[in-house]
Amino acid sequence: MLIIHKIGKIFGTMTVPGDKSISHRAVMLAAISKGKSMLEGLSDGQDCLSTIHCFRALGIDIIPKGQGLEIAGKGLYGLQEPLEILDAGNSGTTMRLLSGILAGQNFLSILTGDQSLRQRPMDRVALPLKQMGAHVDGRVAGKYAPLVIRGGTLQGITWQTPVASAQIKSAILLAGLYATDQTTVQEPILSRDHTERMLAHFGMPVERRGTAVTVSSGILEGQYLKVPGDISSAAFFIVAAAAQPGSQLVIKNVGLNPTRTGIIDVLCQMGADIKIDNRSSSGSEETGDLIIQGATLQGTEVNPKIVPRLIDEIPVLAVAAALAQGVTRIKGAAELKVKESNRLAAMASELRKMGVKICELPDGLEIEGPTNLRGTAVNSYHDHRIAMAMAICGLFAQGETMIADSACIDISFPGFYSLLRQVAR
Ligand code: S3P
């Protein structure tokens, strides 16, 4: 259990661990590249460890070296049939992206995950992979893990995804590396494009037309890559500082890929004072330092078109909305129901316990602030982002906020609490 007390302000300079999405992709592309890759700044969360364990079980040597990990890539066809069931733990990215790679392998793989992951929809990747020629099956008519994949030679497809999802897009693009002709994925709104950028970094550029992206088969070459800080982890500290007048926080070397920076745009729309300094790049990703000064926030309307750019930040955005003056409406976020928990229901229920006027909409949340928050016992639903969002909420609440089952924070951000202690005043 994590116990949080009210604080005065947030003050200091910090860094956050490496971006989780980029870390998964770096390990995966390094494993199927020819030659060695050196990866630095990888996420130290359990999700990324799940990806590493899966690739070790597929015969890839991954060894700590200097500041990072050295991965001896074996090329597109160098993976070995695993002796054991591959365990993706809590990680949707591991299971879905890995499915794309396994669809191209001429062997049998069985993939499972924890209780939460086994209840998340996998047909969204199984269907396109089957259409490409892989044999994919799972529980409940192929909808849920454990998944059984027997891969082989694939045909390219053109696939329209009904939802903007980088996991679906990436699974299909990775399978596309094994296809005899081109593979195109078209999404309704552009989702995070780390896979596309990283494929180019490993020597395999993709072609983009609007929200459609096309990949061909080809050879990836091992690379050096330094992963920038995770904006989704930074978001908890950004909100903590931005919503508290008197706060001053610098978060150095944060990934600023435009498909991920929606949280900064929406907070600025709410009156937050966030500046970007030292813009630079790392690999094929933009980076910069964030300088946040506390302010009084105003409620806002969140345009559904921006939702894919802040999909993982909605729990902590709901906390910002509870502190802001007036109504905040978030729509177009039905995907939150199929994340590590039902994040719409979880945030509505737990924020309500702390006194927030919040209403769950069919595809979002409506929140009226400002709230005189009161600390109480809340649940994490075994969801790392719910646990951290509730911890940030607790910084503004009278009394104690007790977050049950908080160990799940380690799924993405093992150092969260010690960093919070460093910058809380
Ligand atoms: C991710 C994509 C998003 C996001 C998840 C990480 C990725 O999921 O919520 O935390 O690394 O591709 P969806 O693609 O399912 O929206």
Side-chain angles (χ1 to χ4, degrees), residues 21 25 93 96 124 164-167 192 311-312 335 339:
S21 287
R25 288 158 173 80
T93 309
R96 296 200 177 108
R124 45 178 60 195
S165 159
Q167 293 183 357
R192 62 191 66 189
I311 189 77
D312 291 338
E335 272 294 294
K339 295 291 178 191

Side-chain angles (χ1 to χ4, degrees), residues 178-293:
Y178 296 88
T180 46
D181 38 17
Q182 288 190 327
T183 298
T184 299
V185 186
Q186 166 93 59
E187 39 183 3
I189 305 174
L190 183 66
S191 63
R192 62 191 66 189
D193 65 355
H194 303 301
T195 302
E196 296 93 303
R197 287 168 182 248
M198 204 177 292
L199 281 169
H201 186 71
F202 280 79
M204 192 60 222
V206 299
E207 196 186 310
R208 168 171 305 291
R209 246 184 251 121
T211 59
V213 52
T214 301
V215 72
S216 310
S217 67
I219 292 168
L220 306 176
E221 303 275 356
Q223 296 294 331
Y224 168 78
L225 193 83
K226 188 159 189 197
V227 179
D230 195 329
I231 190 167
S232 297
S233 299
F236 298 102
F237 290 87
I238 299 173
V239 167
Q244 185 69 271
S247 288
Q248 264 185 30
L249 181 68
V250 178
I251 313 180
K252 296 187 86 71
N253 186 39
V254 179
L256 294 176
N257 178 320
T259 61
R260 295 284 300 282
T261 49
I263 185 67
I264 296 177
D265 295 350
V266 170
L267 288 173
C268 289
Q269 193 177 303
M270 295 172 81
D273 181 350
I274 305 171
K275 295 192 180 63
I276 299 173
D277 199 9
N278 293 328
R279 280 189 185 271
S280 181
S281 65
S282 185
S284 43
E285 297 282 347
E286 292 97 318
T287 62
D289 298 344
L290 299 177
I291 302 163
I292 305 127
Q293 309 262 9

Side-chain angles (χ1 to χ4, degrees), residues 57-58 79-86 102-111 134-137 147-152:
L58 288 159
L79 300 176
Q80 284 165 17
E81 182 168 72
L83 289 169
E84 58 199 75
I85 293 174
L86 301 170
L102 295 174
Q105 311 300 325
N106 200 6
F107 56 64
L108 185 87
S109 312
I110 306 172
L111 271 142
H135 296 280
V136 185
D137 208 347
L147 296 178
V148 180
I149 302 178
R150 183 174 286 284

Side-chain angles (χ1 to χ4, degrees), residues 11-35:
F11 187 86
T13 299
M14 62 184 286
T15 55
V16 288
D19 187 281
K20 182 158 82 74
S21 287
I22 298 175
S23 297
H24 284 296
R25 288 158 173 80
V27 171
M28 292 186 187
L29 291 197
I32 58 169
S33 288
K34 277 176 64 181

